[in-house]
Structure formats: structure tokens, C-alpha cells
Amino acid sequence: MSGQSLLVPGELSPTRSVPGNIRRPEYVGKPAPTPYTGPEVQTPETIEAMRRAGRIAARAMAEAAKLIAPGVTTDELDKVAHEYMCDHGAYPSTLGYRGFPKSLCTSVNEVICHGIPDSTVLRDGDIVNLDVTAYIGGVHGDNNATYLVGDVDEESRLLVERTRESLNRAIKAVKPGRQINVIGRVIESYAKRFGYGVVRDFTGHGINSSFHSGLIIPHYDSPHATTVIQPGMTFTIEPMLTLGTHEYDMWDDGWTVVTKDRKRTAQFEHTLVVTESGAEILTLP
């Protein structure tokens, strides 16, 4: 693995503004969202709205990813994604969610998830995850991907490639009538081939008009994930695989989650809707 020094918190830029005509999620300005009490199976109208939100989120992530290179700050990536979503009438879902200060998450190297964009400069050999969610039409679309920065060592490159493959395999396992735990079973069995850790405490989730509906999608084979998959369900799958332990520490910011052994980690995510025969990805650009 690369001998890069460990990350430390950078400086935050001022909060970016969102045009007043863009609809805000109900949780903005509140300490926490209102708990979701609606169904996990969505109407065709909601699903169509989520396709739109998902496309915007995917395209915003792709625009930000174009900038990834040694010498670029994670705050610059935030700026690109923020402006893309606002320019397309969407609100960046993370901005103001439980007080999160930025419009996407940037998780570098040993950061499992929820890294806050700041003055941190990407270095040659880093890997960085971008996690982008867009809110438009009253619904959210959520996706993330891990990218290589410059010349990345083979161990890290394979981790990224295999984490993407674990997501692809999990999506193929989604079928009506199966239990949710089939998703984690597929991911965990694949990750074990390579000796990777599978993060357990951060999961996929139900998503619709609520950013996190309460439905939990574990990425390991959980005996408790017995909810039966039904057509019309909408949720994310977002495996986080590590080169070492699945255990973690959290920075003092209350958001940034790092591997306890500080080894590298990668993640990929799509928002899905369950169809009669499988799953449709809603976060395609």
C-alpha cells in the first residue's frame, strides 16, 4: 500500500448558498429530519421523480470527478458538484443534513465515509470517494464512487476495482421475494476472497422523499435483515470494503469516519428501484 501520510482535518470554506427558488428538504435548518413513516414501496410517480434526481446526482458527481488530480482540494470538488446541482434546480441533500456543512462527502484513503470537503489537497497516489445526493421534485437520488488520483499503487487500485464489482454483484442479487440479507451475503462472500474487511456499522438505506427512510441494507450477511424485497422498493446499496479491519474511529467533527488501523478503504453506491425481475439503477448519468 502507498506510504502516504495520514489525513488531518483541513480548513472549511464558508457555507455555499443555494438559490432561494430551489426547494429545500424539510430537515434544512433543523437538528434532525422528521422520521419517515411512509411506505418503502413507492408509486410510479415517485419513482419517476427519483430517476430525475438520480440523474442529476450522477451527473454532478461525474462533473466533480473530472477535476480530480494531484493538487486539487476537496473543497474545489464540492464547489463543482454544488454548482451543478443548483444550476439544474436541485438542492444538495447533504448541505444542512444534521448540520453537515457541505454539498457532498469527500472521503480520502483511510476515510470510510462522510469526509467533509475542505482545504485538503489531493496527492498523487491517493484514492478519493465522492458521495453526491440531489433533492428535486420532493425526492432524493444518492450515489457515490471511488476514484484514483494520479499514479495509484496496485493494492489500492485492486481494492477500488473489486469494491465496484461487489456493488455490481449485489445489484444482480436483488430479486422480489428474496430477503434483504442476500445483498450483504453476496458482498461479504466476494470480499472474503481477497481478505478485505466489510464495514458493518454504516449501511445502505431506504430512500424516497426521505434521505434515509429507516430501511437498513447491511453489506454483510446479517441474520436480522429479513425484510422481503418487493417491487417498487427504493433503496441504496453502498458497500465499503477495507484493506484491513472493519472497525473505525470518528474524528472530532462528528462526521469523518476512518478505519481503526488507518488502512485504505473504498466505496461505491447506487440508488435502486426493485422491478418485477430485478433492480433498475436510478443513479445513471
Side-chain angles (χ1 to χ4, degrees):
M1 189 185 74
S2 170
Q4 299 276 39
S5 58
L6 297 178
L7 291 172
V8 296
E11 296 294 323
L12 285 180
S13 64
T15 302
R16 294 190 161 88
S17 62
V18 176
N21 64 318
I22 292 178
R23 178 179 173 184
R24 271 75 170 152
E26 60 81 24
Y27 52 74
V28 174
K30 296 165 54 177
T34 302
Y36 179 72
T37 57
E40 297 298 344
V41 172
Q42 303 305 311
T43 66
E45 293 76 19
T46 296
I47 293 165
E48 184 55 38
M50 289 181 68
R51 286 191 185 96
R52 182 185 181 199
R55 281 194 298 270
I56 291 173
R59 290 170 181 169
M61 185 172 72
E63 285 301 308
K66 290 177 183 177
L67 201 66
I68 291 173
V72 172
T73 67
T74 54
D75 187 67
E76 290 175 87
L77 304 178
D78 180 78
K79 181 175 185 290
V80 171
H82 177 92
E83 291 180 350
Y84 185 93
M85 284 185 274
C86 291
D87 288 347
H88 291 80
Y91 185 92
S93 300
T94 60
L95 185 62
Y97 179 78
R98 296 184 183 271
F100 192 84
K102 292 296 175 181
S103 298
L104 80 163
C105 301
T106 50
S107 300
V108 180
N109 295 345
E110 69 268 22
V111 180
I112 294 171
C113 57
H114 305 158
I116 300 174
D118 58 18
S119 61
T120 297
V121 177
L122 296 177
R123 303 161 296 180
D124 187 59
D126 283 344
I127 60 174
V128 57
N129 178 275
L130 305 186
D131 192 340
V132 181
T133 310
Y135 177 78
I136 189 170
V139 297
H140 301 267
D142 186 3
N143 68 160
N144 76 54
T146 303
Y147 299 89
L148 310 180
V149 184
D151 185 17
V152 175
D153 66 272
E154 181 76 354
E155 186 178 38
S156 298
R157 187 187 63 76
L158 285 172
L159 173 68
V160 171
E161 183 179 296
R162 290 164 176 167
T163 305
R164 181 191 293 111
E165 176 63 15
S166 77
L167 173 60
N168 292 340
R169 288 172 180 240
I171 292 171
K172 289 176 183 175
V174 174
K175 305 285 184 188
R178 292 180 173 177
Q179 294 183 344
I180 289 290
N181 56 16
V182 70
I183 294 167
R185 190 176 309 133
V186 166
I187 292 167
E188 186 173 41
S189 63
Y190 180 70
K192 278 183 173 177
R193 293 191 199 176
F194 312 104
Y196 295 154
V198 181
V199 172
R200 301 167 80 88
D201 293 296
F202 300 90
T203 67
H205 52 89
I207 184 170
N208 38 68
S209 60
S210 173
F211 196 170
H212 300 88
S213 74
L215 178 66
I216 301 298
I217 312 294
H219 302 121
Y220 63 98
D221 187 4
S222 169
H224 307 294
T226 56
T227 300
V228 175
I229 298 170
Q230 301 176 60
M233 276 185 167
T234 50
F235 53 81
T236 72
I237 303 176
E238 44 188 299
M240 296 155 245
L241 306 186
T242 71
L243 290 175
T245 182
H246 68 266
E247 296 181 349
Y248 68 92
D249 293 319
M250 186 175 287
W251 283 4
D252 291 342
D253 61 23
W255 283 105
T256 306
V257 179
V258 295
T259 53
K260 188 169 280 292
D261 57 13
R262 303 304 189 264
K263 290 186 177 180
R264 289 187 169 187
T265 175
Q267 181 185 16
F268 284 83
E269 173 187 23
H270 276 305
T271 295
L272 312 171
V273 59
V274 181
T275 67
E276 294 294 337
S277 59
E280 175 192 345
I281 298 172
L282 299 177
T283 40
L284 290 175

